[in-house]
């Protein structure tokens, strides 16, 4: 099967500074791929490059067989930005309905998406009155409503309680089992454990790609947090 995402030699400059220094990545269709790394390491920039909204200095990003950002991809990618981007003066259901209408989808898709993010009881609330975590879940509902082939989620579980986080991760795996590829950023290592593949970046450089088990084995640690630190130190020493 073709790779869902192929990145080769990706270089990105932002604000006159190099922030991605030549990343390579191949991600399989139907996988949950976690992008992990400290704040400012380039996670959002990498996600933006995959979505096709980031100016790229060098390298290629191929998504579902097409150049990132090209027309055939528009209806096939769902993107949840790090800062929720929904209409504050509309209700949850109005926001999701709006995104659904762009894809000519009806009420059942809207209800399913709202239900999946646990907002069924708040569907009629104006989103600006929601809590931070609820607001971010409303944004997630808009990203998933069209059942895209690739979901790009930038820290979707920030501000969620452990129970909700658990439910959202179970939902991501359900989607992946149905063939959706999920590229998700996080800086929480316990979430990294739930990814099929991990991409560890630090200061715009790829530290490691592989399964959580492979990462732990390579670092010789039982714990992912520790494994990450070990790889960082090894990288600095090299
Ligand atoms: N709009 C921008 N203009 C200039 N530089 C930027 C801009 N956005 C991000 N950067 C810089 O690019 C680098 C990578 O930022 P990015 O947002 O990709 O990091 P991140 O890993 O997503 O961080 P976080 O975990 O805080 O979300 C950082 O050095 C950041 O300061
Ligand atoms: Mg970010």
């Amino acid at each position: 099967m073709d790779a869902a995402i192929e990145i080769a030699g990706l270089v990105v400059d932002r604000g006159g500074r190099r922030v991605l220094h030549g990343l390579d990545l191949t991600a399989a269709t139907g996988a949950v791929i976690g992008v992990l790394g400290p704040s400012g390491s380039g996670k959002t920039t990498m996600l933006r490059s995959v979505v096709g909204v980031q100016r790229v200095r060098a390298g290629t990003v191929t998504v579902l067989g097409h150049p990132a950002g090209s027309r055939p991809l528009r209806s096939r990618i769902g993107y949840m930005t790090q800062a929720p981007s929904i209409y504050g003066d509309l209700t949850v259901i109005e926001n999701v309905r709006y995104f659904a209408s762009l894809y000519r989808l009806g009420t059942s898709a809207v209800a399913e998406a709202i239900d999946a993010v646990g907002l069924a009881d708040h569907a009629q609330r104006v989103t600006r009155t929601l809590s931070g975590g609820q607001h971010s879940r409303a944004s997630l509902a808009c990203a998933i409503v069209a059942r895209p082939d690739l979901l790009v989620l930038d820290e979707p579980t920030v501000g969620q309680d452990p129970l909700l986080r658990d439910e959202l991760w179970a939902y991501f795996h359900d989607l992946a089992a149905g063939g959706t590829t999920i590229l998700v950023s996080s800086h929480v290592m316990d979430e990294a454990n739930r990814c099929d593949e991990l991409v560890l970046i630090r200061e715009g450089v790829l530290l490691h790609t592989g399964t959580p088990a492979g990462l732990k084995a390579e670092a010789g640690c039982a714990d992912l947090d520790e494994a990450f630190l070990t790889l960082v130190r090894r990288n600095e020493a090299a």
Side-chain angles (χ1 to χ4, degrees):
M1 197 184 280
D2 286 341
I5 304 170
E6 288 248 36
I7 300 178
L10 175 62
V11 176
V12 173
D13 294 338
R14 295 185 86 174
R17 278 184 51 241
R18 183 136 301 176
V19 300
L20 295 182
H21 299 259
L23 296 192
D24 300 302
L25 174 74
T26 303
T29 302
V32 179
I33 306 115
V35 182
L36 277 284
S39 179
S41 57
K43 302 182 295 296
T44 295
T45 306
M46 181 186 156
L47 265 45
R48 285 168 49 88
S49 305
V50 169
V51 173
V53 295
Q54 178 64 55
R55 186 186 296 264
V56 164
R57 179 83 194 194
T60 55
V61 183
T62 308
V63 178
L64 308 168
H66 301 276
S70 60
R71 186 175 283 277
L73 292 175
R74 284 186 197 159
S75 58
R76 300 181 63 193
I77 300 182
Y79 178 34
M80 178 189 171
T81 53
Q82 189 164 5
S85 43
I86 52 175
Y87 298 98
D89 53 346
L90 298 184
T91 63
V92 172
I93 196 165
E94 285 166 346
N95 266 287
V96 182
R97 213 183 268 148
Y98 170 71
F99 282 91
S101 72
L102 301 176
Y103 303 94
R104 299 185 211 290
L105 295 168
T107 39
S108 65
V110 173
E112 264 173 50
I114 293 174
D115 200 41
V117 301
L119 282 181
D121 292 342
H122 299 284
Q124 304 297 340
R125 291 264 301 275
V126 171
T127 60
R128 112 169 86 67
T129 69
L130 296 172
S131 74
Q134 291 167 337
H135 198 254
S136 129
R137 278 183 283 139
S139 183
L140 178 59
C142 294
I144 62 178
V145 69
R147 289 303 184 104
D149 295 318
L150 172 66
L151 255 183
V152 179
L153 308 174
D154 203 346
E155 306 206 18
T157 61
V158 165
Q160 309 301 340
D161 62 70
L163 193 67
L164 264 168
R165 277 217 327 233
D166 191 61
E167 285 172 13
L168 288 175
W169 274 91
Y171 180 64
F172 298 158
H173 279 283
D174 281 351
L175 290 177
T180 309
T181 306
I182 303 186
L183 186 66
V184 51
S185 75
S186 171
H187 50 242
V188 187
M189 288 295 167
D190 73 291
E191 295 193 332
N193 261 316
R194 302 188 68 165
C195 296
D196 301 317
E197 288 283 329
L198 291 180
V199 177
L200 292 189
I201 357 182
R202 184 161 183 270
E203 295 176 358
V205 176
L206 206 69
L207 271 189
H208 188 85
T209 55
T211 62
L215 171 65
K216 288 183 250 186
E218 168 153 344
C221 308
D223 173 273
L224 260 187
D225 255 320
E226 241 175 84
F228 181 64
L229 290 174
T230 304
L231 289 183
V232 168
R233 290 191 188 116
R234 217 179 267 170
N235 185 261
E236 273 172 359

PDB file of all heavy atoms in Angstrom, residues 60 72-73 105 162 194 214 236:
ATOM      1  N   THR A  60      10.428  17.879  -0.369  1.00  0.00           N
ATOM      2  CA  THR A  60       9.110  17.576  -0.914  1.00  0.00           C
ATOM      3  C   THR A  60       8.227  16.960   0.163  1.00  0.00           C
ATOM      4  O   THR A  60       8.702  16.238   1.038  1.00  0.00           O
ATOM      5  CB  THR A  60       9.194  16.563  -2.082  1.00  0.00           C
ATOM      6  OG1 THR A  60       9.880  15.401  -1.607  1.00  0.00           O
ATOM      7  CG2 THR A  60       9.946  17.145  -3.279  1.00  0.00           C
ATOM      8  N   PRO A  72      -6.527  18.222  -5.232  1.00  0.00           N
ATOM      9  CA  PRO A  72      -7.219  16.951  -4.938  1.00  0.00           C
ATOM     10  C   PRO A  72      -7.229  16.591  -3.454  1.00  0.00           C
ATOM     11  O   PRO A  72      -7.996  15.734  -3.026  1.00  0.00           O
ATOM     12  CB  PRO A  72      -6.421  15.900  -5.728  1.00  0.00           C
ATOM     13  CG  PRO A  72      -5.450  16.635  -6.562  1.00  0.00           C
ATOM     14  CD  PRO A  72      -5.381  18.049  -6.123  1.00  0.00           C
ATOM     15  N   LEU A  73      -6.376  17.263  -2.676  1.00  0.00           N
ATOM     16  CA  LEU A  73      -6.287  16.911  -1.255  1.00  0.00           C
ATOM     17  C   LEU A  73      -7.295  17.669  -0.402  1.00  0.00           C
ATOM     18  O   LEU A  73      -7.540  17.307   0.745  1.00  0.00           O
ATOM     19  CB  LEU A  73      -4.878  17.202  -0.739  1.00  0.00           C
ATOM     20  CG  LEU A  73      -3.766  16.316  -1.310  1.00  0.00           C
ATOM     21  CD1 LEU A  73      -2.412  16.788  -0.810  1.00  0.00           C
ATOM     22  CD2 LEU A  73      -4.002  14.859  -0.903  1.00  0.00           C
ATOM     23  N   LEU A 105     -22.531  17.414   3.423  1.00  0.00           N
ATOM     24  CA  LEU A 105     -22.921  16.343   4.341  1.00  0.00           C
ATOM     25  C   LEU A 105     -24.109  16.803   5.173  1.00  0.00           C
ATOM     26  O   LEU A 105     -24.258  17.994   5.442  1.00  0.00           O
ATOM     27  CB  LEU A 105     -21.757  15.982   5.268  1.00  0.00           C
ATOM     28  CG  LEU A 105     -20.545  15.373   4.566  1.00  0.00           C
ATOM     29  CD1 LEU A 105     -19.360  15.323   5.510  1.00  0.00           C
ATOM     30  CD2 LEU A 105     -20.898  13.978   4.068  1.00  0.00           C
ATOM     31  N   PRO A 162      -8.383  13.209  32.030  1.00  0.00           N
ATOM     32  CA  PRO A 162      -7.850  11.894  31.652  1.00  0.00           C
ATOM     33  C   PRO A 162      -8.884  10.969  31.007  1.00  0.00           C
ATOM     34  O   PRO A 162      -8.567  10.241  30.062  1.00  0.00           O
ATOM     35  CB  PRO A 162      -7.361  11.307  32.977  1.00  0.00           C
ATOM     36  CG  PRO A 162      -7.120  12.487  33.844  1.00  0.00           C
ATOM     37  CD  PRO A 162      -8.089  13.540  33.426  1.00  0.00           C
ATOM     38  N   ARG A 194       0.542   5.571  22.930  1.00  0.00           N
ATOM     39  CA  ARG A 194      -0.644   5.088  22.224  1.00  0.00           C
ATOM     40  C   ARG A 194      -0.544   5.265  20.711  1.00  0.00           C
ATOM     41  O   ARG A 194      -1.503   5.003  19.998  1.00  0.00           O
ATOM     42  CB  ARG A 194      -1.889   5.801  22.766  1.00  0.00           C
ATOM     43  CG  ARG A 194      -2.018   5.567  24.267  1.00  0.00           C
ATOM     44  CD  ARG A 194      -3.309   6.066  24.809  1.00  0.00           C
ATOM     45  NE  ARG A 194      -4.450   5.308  24.340  1.00  0.00           N
ATOM     46  CZ  ARG A 194      -5.652   5.366  24.884  1.00  0.00           C
ATOM     47  NH1 ARG A 194      -5.833   6.124  25.926  1.00  0.00           N
ATOM     48  NH2 ARG A 194      -6.647   4.671  24.394  1.00  0.00           N
ATOM     49  N   GLY A 214      10.118   0.303  19.957  1.00  0.00           N
ATOM     50  CA  GLY A 214      11.423   0.409  19.310  1.00  0.00           C
ATOM     51  C   GLY A 214      12.255   1.536  19.904  1.00  0.00           C
ATOM     52  O   GLY A 214      13.468   1.412  20.083  1.00  0.00           O
ATOM     53  N   GLU A 236      23.202  15.051  21.690  1.00  0.00           N
ATOM     54  CA  GLU A 236      24.047  16.195  22.033  1.00  0.00           C
ATOM     55  C   GLU A 236      25.506  15.787  22.139  1.00  0.00           C
ATOM     56  O   GLU A 236      26.405  16.533  21.758  1.00  0.00           O
ATOM     57  CB  GLU A 236      23.584  16.819  23.349  1.00  0.00           C
ATOM     58  CG  GLU A 236      22.489  17.850  23.100  1.00  0.00           C
ATOM     59  CD  GLU A 236      21.860  18.364  24.384  1.00  0.00           C
ATOM     60  OE1 GLU A 236      22.242  17.931  25.481  1.00  0.00           O
ATOM     61  OE2 GLU A 236      20.947  19.205  24.246  1.00  0.00           O
TER      62      GLU A 236
END
